[in-house]
Amino acid sequence: VGNDAGLVHHMDLHGTTNAILGGDKRLCRTYLDLIHPWEAGSPTTFHLPPEAGIPLGGNDGYRAFRVEVHYHNSNQQAGLIDRSGVR
């Protein structure tokens, strides 16, 4: 994850299995599971063992996701650019 001066502090991937919330762009945090966190200095790839996985869709899988990107700019520098690749 590349960014100016360590701008990205951490990212959290959340998901919901709720069919109704899957269509709600607000995705209230109360109904979300934390699937995977990443923080500066962590490995840039995530590997599950062959017998594991994250269920997607169907009756039991996650129906919607939200990625939260948290920034750290304690010096309040202007003009920094997030180059983390998250869009």
Side-chain angles (χ1 to χ4, degrees):
V1 174
N3 61 89
D4 284 343
L7 182 62
V8 175
H9 183 264
H10 69 277
M11 297 184 219
D12 295 330
L13 174 63
H14 298 269
T16 183
T17 57
N18 186 303
I20 294 171
L21 289 176
D24 186 345
K25 294 183 193 261
R26 296 170 295 166
L27 288 177
C28 177
R29 188 177 251 191
T30 303
Y31 302 102
L32 293 171
D33 296 330
L34 176 61
I35 298 171
H36 184 69
W38 175 91
E39 64 182 44
S42 294
T44 57
T45 58
F46 175 62
H47 299 281
L48 293 170
E51 68 277 6
I54 299 172
L56 303 175
N59 292 330
D60 299 322
Y62 288 105
R63 297 171 179 263
F65 297 91
R66 178 173 72 190
V67 175
E68 291 182 3
V69 181
H70 297 249
Y71 298 96
H72 180 72
N73 184 7
S74 59
N75 295 328
Q76 298 183 0
Q77 279 185 279
L80 296 179
I81 297 172
D82 175 3
R83 292 188 173 96
S84 65
V86 176
R87 302 258 184 267

